[in-house]
Amino acid sequence: MPGLEDSLRRPVRGMRDLTPEYYYALKRVEEALSKLAESFGYRRVETPAVEHFEVLAKKAGRDIVNEIYYFRDKAGRELGLRFDMTVPVARVLSYKLDEPKPVRWFYFTKVWRYDEPQHGRYREFYQFGVELVGSASPRADAEVLVLMAKAIEAVGIGDYVIRINDRRVADKALASLGIKPSEEVYRVLDKRGKVSEEELSSMLMGLGIDREKASELLSLISGAVPYAEAPEVISKYDEELAERHRAVVKALEAFGVLSRMAWDPSIVRGLDYYTGIVFEAFAGQYRLAVGGGGRYDDLIELYSGIKTPALGFAIGVERLMEAAGIEKAERPLDYYIYPVSSEAYGVAVEVAEALRAKGASAVVDLGEWGLREALERAAKTGVRHFVIIGKKELEKGVVKIRDMAKREEVEVELSRIKAGL
Ligand code: HAM
């Protein structure tokens, strides 16, 4: 039988099969990041993969709306797969109005985007992120930035930078050139680095901005400085905003991560819900952003009718792992138990159960391989201990345990194993 054609054996375009080696590595990252978020008082949240399309489409921005997996269910409801967790969290908090503020929630879960698949860009991927809802304080901005920095450090990346801008400052900068700030302009500017400067100019010109203004705009957003110097730059546009960023600088300094932060006016973000500080994280030589976030003070009001300031970030877990060089985690089997004869099978099962009760992992041979073949396979798959129960052992009331790494064998009394010693 020829079986399925190759394209059907592979996952659907843009999606990936996570085999155990990779999945356990992902699990370890999940554990480290969850511990970090919890240590800052954040609690984990999960929501359905499927959302009302109307909720998803409300403030996503045109590019993202085009990337929503959209379908109708059998009752004709218009639905979509969530493209991030910020929108579902905002929806939950729009009816859970009594949740004590500020709300500190985090997530580590799958999201879906009908993006053009390429290296580091998938249609199904994991996001780890936090949302801090109900505080307008600059310290809240700093707390979220610190968590993002610590999340990157938690996977062993020391060389990273978080590039920060502020939509309110960007609005003023655009206005200073006589350009009306709009989501269309920001969406074009967000493409910076992804398309050529020439293409950017012509896209801006497509929005009615003349060539000269377009090039002025591109040069205005091209200078990055250490974030510590941001208040000085911002005060050219707005003293109140400069003061706000001074407070963020101060808080970041207290946390010792200020040197990792840059003020970069080219960071505008592609999602339409941002209203204040916005940022993206870059790790080492990894070309794509490993994370992004910002303040979205109007989003929850859009769903609940109640003004609720909020901000957060999300990290693309697969990108973060790639940037950190994390590809797989071994989960070696503790014991492979080989009953040499069928009489020994019952004892092998008892031994396996006793070992499992102690928290070890144990496999009982299925009786299809000879001893030598079973040993060879165990060596190849990284089994820690190979347990032999033969006639001789049964007579003596012992089992033979071979330490595969040390290549040493010891005999252990069956009664001791069964007693859990
Ligand atoms: P985002 O920038 O759209 O922001 O996504 C966050 C991160 O998810 C990106 O920096 C990237 O690492 C990863 N990512 C995005 N698209 C893909 C893809 N196609 N394949 C693999 N990884 C990808 C948000 O999602 C906002 N919800 C962040 C936020 C939270 N803002 C406020 N709170």
Side-chain angles (χ1 to χ4, degrees), residues 84 86 113 115 120 122 125 127 131 269 273-274 289-291 312 316:
D84 79 352
T86 308
R113 292 184 191 178
D115 213 336
Y122 313 110
F125 58 99
Q127 280 193 340
E131 308 297 339
R269 309 278 293 138
Y273 50 60
Y274 292 114
V290 293

Side-chain angles (χ1 to χ4, degrees), residues 10-26:
R10 308 287 163 171
V12 169
R13 184 165 151 78
M15 309 216 174
R16 307 204 306 166
D17 293 319
L18 308 185
T19 49
E21 304 74 43
Y22 186 81
Y23 191 72
Y24 279 110
L26 184 102

